[in-house]
Amino acid sequence: MTTAGAATWDDLLDGEELAHVETVPATDARIAPLPEDLHPRLREILPFDGLYEHQRAAWDAAASGEHLILATGTASGKSLAFNLPVLDAIARNPKDRALYLYPTKALAQDQARALGELRAPNVRAAIYDGDTPGERRSQIRRWANLILTNPDMLHVGVLPHHDRWADVLHNLRYIVVDEAHVYRGVFGSHVGNVLRRLRRLAGVYGAEPQLLFASATIANPGELAAALGGVDATVVDRDAAPRAERTIALWNPELLDAELGLRASPLGEASRLMAALTTRGLRTICFAKSRKAAELIHKFTVDRVDSATGKRLAPYRAGYTPIQRREIERRLVEGELLGVSATDALELGIDIGLLDCAISVGFPGTVASLRQQWGRAGRRGHGLAVLIASEDALDQYFMREPAMLLERRVEAAILDHANPRVLDGHVRAAAFEAPVDDADRATLGDEALERAALLPDLKHTKSGYVWAGRDYPAGRFGLRSTTPDTFTVVEAQSGTVLGLVERERAYSTVHEGAIYLHLGESYLVRELDLQARTAVVTPYSGDYYTQAKKDTNTAIEETLRTERRCGLDLSFGRISVTEQVVAYQKKSVRDQSTLETVDLDLPETSFETEAIWYLPERAQLDGLEKMPTLLGTLHAAEHSMIALLPLWAMCDRWDIGGLSTNVHFQTNRPTVFIYDGHAGGVGITERGFNAFEGWVSDTARMLEGCPCNDGCPSCVQSPKCGNLNEMLDKGGALTLLRRLVAASTSAT
Amino acid sequence: MADVRELRLVLTVQDFDGALSFYRDALGLDVEAVWASEGGHVTLLSAGRATLELVDEAHAAEIDRLEVGRRVAGPVRVAFQVPDSGALADTLEGAGATRIAGPVTTPWNDRNVRLEAPDGTQLTLFTPVE
Ligand SMILES: [Zn+2]
């Protein structure tokens, strides 16, 4: 049954559910000769006598002293590309040092293992993170020439104590930032500052390290390097690694009720495909968004196959010990296991090489993630990659417009290191580390100097701005949120801290009675303690989710740009958002029906952020001006535009908020606001401002294509709507957006 | 307080790659550091808290009797506390270890398994029973 290379899945790719299928041909590797000047001992450890062209391009850029960002696909040998220049430098001069940054401990661990196996000369590699015992730390600082750490450790554990790191900083030749696309949004904005502080301090100790970034394929690698490191980097993004032939199938579960947008369960569809594929002996991995979903897919698949095949299926999830994980990986690689259903939180850290088929259940949020998941398919020269759509608007849009998913350039990773809510803490930290003066504009940026002049706890002295406080400012804040005003989410039984939630999100996501999702696990919030700023949660396995109802107001603080676009006034600027969570609904996972509405008594919160807002002209609202049509029209246009914004900026629709009003107190006109949900903003909405015409026209196409008449979860309804999806007029929104599109095409 | 900060057990092994895949991958110890000397290699693995247990000949014989039923260990035996000694022993057998005996429950209520690692080191896996 399993003849090598034969596509034994062809007959399965049939039926109403198949929205699109295409086969991407295999590509051959493009090989460049090894560099003449490569250290001879490194030549011996290479897998073959040559490099992929992109690896060679990376070598050449590094060799001529340039900063570099590599943005090539999964399994294209990115690690080797950035390791070679580093290992070559260390082989020649063991005193040279390199810092490797990883977003998680597990990824640092993987790289440490890989480096150990390379056996490169003179390398002394060590992991330096929160688990490193105190006595080992000074040894690592003295002795290791390749230090693997994370941005959080750099921020609180390294930079504020730079005198202890003098030797490392003085000899710092390379800074490697792997998985750079992960550093976007709030986290990325912080890391952008941490890297600037690091470059500045290296300069203080006389070094000028080169930055080597590696990223998934994104639309804007050069811009990401500039935003993260404050440097001009050479972009290497022409992937020359060989690629297996790949069949791509977009699979849309059967539409059961067009008006409700109700479709057959994606989990059921996934298990049906998985059962058919594994029964044929095809090794398959299935990625789901939550542990519960992964487990259900596993269970449904076992129910569909014979018992011998059933024994060769396993779930794979966070919470397994490393040993258990490695055991599953080994069994999968050796073919003992045929099918694994995993939570997509694990897509980065799973070490299984290539399989026959990869199924993604629900669009994972970014094309980069989807490609990472699909990248697992291609064993024996031909792989099958499937996306099974959820009812979410973006998923359904891709099913109707496959080219939007498969042919467009992937989205951009966006961050804004100059967001004042992020920047101020780093300016204080930098001033603590060394006086900040005009010469630091080159590394810290102009905005840092502007903020320094405004911060009351900095003192202006002859040598620059210095820290006048008593504590140590880096200790005041972490890198994962824009404010130290956060709530800690604690699991009641084990006392484990699951995460931090900013106050402005805490009331809507971890209020008493909320179902809180963390790394694919569900928890029920037992108590939200406003004084202690803790949410106590316990594991939850029921079948409802919760949606908060809130009153929101926006006030324009400063208009930064206003342009005539699509025949109306479009603005970008800073607004303040005031919210009060007043109730929540329990909704059935099965059919979204409302089970119960519970009132809440929570304080008001407010925060400043970035937003775009637009004021439809009277003519554009012709025939829609009566209430409630007017409000329903604006509200539906807002929701559907929010659903599509992740096409331009790598972000989650949960990161974006909106407000529509028939008359806003400042504009005195009907107004739609779409704002960044993180205080201060990280550049997402400005992306939308720049791409407004395309954004509007794609949204109109999305509404046009949705089979419902009056609006459904696949078009105008939002899973996070603070009005619980009341007052939505799909027809009105479509009319309005079409008029905007017409204005944009006639204007030029 | 003693001045000793760390107990580090250094194993010189014939088959370095084999030992790496056994201790790092099968047993699941995290890498802390890797380095090389002229032609030689080192990998430092973290293995939880280290302690030095001194036993006299009579007690060593007693442990051997409990775990194995006869006297087998040399002067050094390496013991790892793990969450599930039985399950891990199966994994390690799959990775080339030889099971000598166990699991058995000791009078002090640990579940113990005795193995010989591929490099010849004698291992006890133990799990305190709740
Ligand atoms: Zn619809």
Side-chain angles (χ1 to χ4, degrees), chain A residues 73-75 181 216-217 246-248 283-290 340 342-350 352-378 383-388 395:
Chain A
T74 315
H181 62 284
T217 48
R246 181 170 300 153
T247 298
I248 291 172
R283 295 182 203 171
T284 304
I285 187 162
C286 185
F287 291 98
K289 286 192 181 177
S290 70
V340 165
T343 51
D344 58 11
L346 292 171
E347 76 200 22
L348 290 178
I350 180 167
I352 48 169
L354 291 177
L355 305 175
D356 295 305
C357 315
I359 303 172
S360 304
V361 185
F363 180 62
T366 67
V367 175
S369 286
L370 183 68
R371 292 201 175 158
Q372 201 122 15
Q373 296 178 359
W374 281 359
R376 302 296 174 182
L384 171 65
V386 184
L387 171 63
I388 298 180
D395 287 45

Side-chain angles (χ1 to χ4, degrees), chain A residues 92-347:
Chain A
R92 289 167 201 282
N93 180 10
K95 283 184 75 71
D96 274 358
R97 310 271 201 140
L99 273 176
Y100 279 45
L101 290 189
Y102 279 89
T104 67
K105 284 174 192 291
L107 289 168
Q109 186 60 225
D110 289 347
Q111 183 61 242
R113 290 157 59 110
L115 283 166
E117 279 168 16
L118 277 177
R119 311 272 157 78
N122 295 337
V123 166
R124 299 186 297 269
I127 289 193
Y128 190 96
D129 64 21
D131 294 339
T132 307
E135 58 277 11
R136 177 107 71 241
R137 293 185 175 193
S138 61
Q139 186 193 31
I140 290 172
R141 293 193 291 264
R142 273 199 317 277
W143 163 89
N145 49 19
L146 197 164
I147 299 172
L148 300 118
T149 186
N150 54 63
D152 312 79
M153 192 67 190
L154 203 52
H155 163 58
V156 288
V158 175
L159 300 177
H161 315 291
H162 55 86
D163 47 331
R164 297 182 205 157
W165 288 81
D167 193 56
V168 174
L169 291 168
H170 175 63
N171 293 294
L172 190 58
R173 173 86 185 268
Y174 286 111
I175 301 166
V176 171
V177 183
D178 200 358
E179 305 290 350
H181 62 284
V182 171
Y183 303 120
R184 59 181 189 261
V186 172
F187 185 35
S189 304
H190 277 293
V191 173
N193 282 291
V194 170
L195 286 171
R196 284 169 170 82
R197 281 161 56 202
L198 172 61
R199 285 182 53 229
R200 182 179 79 120
L201 286 179
V204 168
Y205 289 90
E208 220 179 301
Q210 280 172 257
L211 286 156
L212 310 181
F213 296 94
S215 157
T217 48
I218 51 172
N220 63 335
E223 188 186 44
L224 178 64
L228 266 179
V231 296
D232 281 331
T234 301
V235 174
V236 176
D237 59 357
R238 292 172 55 99
D239 194 333
R243 215 178 37 206
E245 183 179 0
R246 181 170 300 153
T247 298
I248 291 172
L250 302 186
W251 193 268
N252 201 3
E254 187 193 352
L255 185 61
L256 302 177
D257 183 328
E259 259 333 283
L260 297 176
L262 189 66
R263 292 185 173 272
S265 157
L267 308 186
E269 293 296 290
S271 61
R272 192 152 70 85
L273 270 180
M274 183 126 170
L277 294 167
T278 53
T279 301
R280 298 175 180 203
L282 294 166
R283 295 182 203 171
T284 304
I285 187 162
C286 185
F287 291 98
K289 286 192 181 177
S290 70
R291 167 178 172 167
K292 179 122 202 203
E295 284 178 350
L296 285 174
I297 291 166
H298 170 69
K299 183 174 168 297
F300 296 159
T301 310
V302 170
D303 289 346
R304 287 173 184 272
V305 298
D306 61 82
S307 67
T309 308
K311 290 199 184 83
R312 298 172 70 189
L313 303 173
Y316 180 104
R317 58 175 189 243
Y320 278 164
T321 64
I323 305 168
Q324 290 170 315
R325 288 176 53 172
R326 273 164 218 156
E327 175 69 4
I328 289 180
E329 289 164 5
R330 182 192 64 74
R331 292 178 62 204
L332 198 53
V333 169
E334 289 172 8
E336 274 176 51
L337 278 181
L338 282 172
V340 165
S341 33
T343 51
D344 58 11
L346 292 171
E347 76 200 22

Side-chain angles (χ1 to χ4, degrees), chain A residues 109 117 119 125 127 136, chain B residues 6 17 24 31-32 34 41:
Chain A
Q109 186 60 225
E117 279 168 16
R119 311 272 157 78
I127 289 193
R136 177 107 71 241
Chain B
E6 181 184 349
D17 290 331
R24 186 193 64 187
V31 175
E32 274 193 28
V34 294
H41 305 101

Side-chain angles (χ1 to χ4, degrees), chain A residues 623-668:
Chain A
L624 306 169
E625 55 277 87
K626 283 210 190 67
M627 287 295 271
T629 305
L630 176 58
L631 196 52
T633 295
L634 301 174
H635 192 202
E638 168 215 317
H639 274 195
S640 45
M641 286 185 71
I642 288 175
L644 290 208
L645 186 52
L647 286 175
W648 284 273
M650 245 177 166
C651 65
D652 196 308
R653 73 188 283 171
W654 298 88
D655 293 338
I656 314 162
L659 179 86
S660 313
T661 165
N662 53 321
V663 52
H664 186 260
F665 77 99
Q666 286 163 302
T667 65
N668 295 313

Side-chain angles (χ1 to χ4, degrees), chain A residues 682-703:
Chain A
V682 291
I684 294 169
T685 53
E686 190 168 17
R687 244 333 119 141
F689 183 94
N690 294 335
F692 192 67
E693 287 79 6
W695 183 16
V696 168
S697 75
D698 281 351
T699 308
R701 276 167 77 123
M702 185 268 278
L703 288 181

Side-chain angles (χ1 to χ4, degrees), chain A residues 310-549:
Chain A
K311 290 199 184 83
R312 298 172 70 189
L313 303 173
Y316 180 104
R317 58 175 189 243
Y320 278 164
T321 64
I323 305 168
Q324 290 170 315
R325 288 176 53 172
R326 273 164 218 156
E327 175 69 4
I328 289 180
E329 289 164 5
R330 182 192 64 74
R331 292 178 62 204
L332 198 53
V333 169
E334 289 172 8
E336 274 176 51
L337 278 181
L338 282 172
V340 165
S341 33
T343 51
D344 58 11
L346 292 171
E347 76 200 22
L348 290 178
I350 180 167
D351 182 19
I352 48 169
L354 291 177
L355 305 175
D356 295 305
C357 315
I359 303 172
S360 304
V361 185
F363 180 62
T366 67
V367 175
S369 286
L370 183 68
R371 292 201 175 158
Q372 201 122 15
Q373 296 178 359
W374 281 359
R376 302 296 174 182
R379 201 173 74 92
R380 300 179 303 162
H382 189 177
L384 171 65
V386 184
L387 171 63
I388 298 180
S390 75
E391 63 183 21
D392 190 78
L394 201 49
D395 287 45
Q396 289 301 319
Y397 183 56
F398 289 147
M399 292 296 127
R400 294 192 301 272
E401 311 261 351
M404 295 306 293
L405 177 66
L406 302 174
E407 280 159 40
R408 57 184 271 277
R409 294 172 67 203
V410 290
E411 60 279 88
I414 309 287
L415 60 101
D416 177 14
H417 80 279
N419 170 348
R421 287 280 289 260
V422 169
L423 180 60
D424 286 0
H426 292 281
V427 172
R428 292 189 185 97
F432 172 89
E433 287 151 11
V436 172
D437 65 20
D438 244 24
D440 295 322
R441 285 180 190 275
T443 48
L444 297 180
D446 293 337
E447 299 90 345
L449 271 293
E450 285 159 24
R451 296 305 300 177
L454 301 174
L455 296 176
D457 35 15
L458 298 190
K459 202 166 72 191
H460 199 205
T461 68
K462 277 204 304 283
S463 49
Y465 294 97
V466 297
W467 175 241
R470 288 171 181 276
D471 58 340
Y472 107 98
R476 288 187 185 176
F477 65 102
L479 305 185
R480 316 275 171 159
S481 77
T482 53
T483 161
D485 187 10
T486 52
F487 282 64
T488 309
V489 182
V490 183
E491 203 277 300
Q493 271 132 43
S494 61
T496 315
V497 173
L498 299 178
L500 297 175
V501 183
E502 296 158 24
R503 179 185 295 273
E504 50 257 24
R505 301 175 147 229
Y507 297 152
S508 55
T509 56
V510 292
H511 58 76
E512 204 169 295
I515 303 300
Y516 171 76
L517 200 66
H518 173 73
L519 287 180
E521 309 277 341
S522 296
Y523 298 89
L524 171 65
V525 179
R526 298 283 174 185
E527 189 196 354
L528 179 67
D529 184 332
L530 302 184
Q531 260 69 50
R533 293 198 299 202
T534 1
V536 179
V537 304
T538 49
Y540 171 77
S541 59
D543 53 4
Y544 69 85
Y545 64 97
T546 54
Q547 188 168 9
K549 179 171 164 61

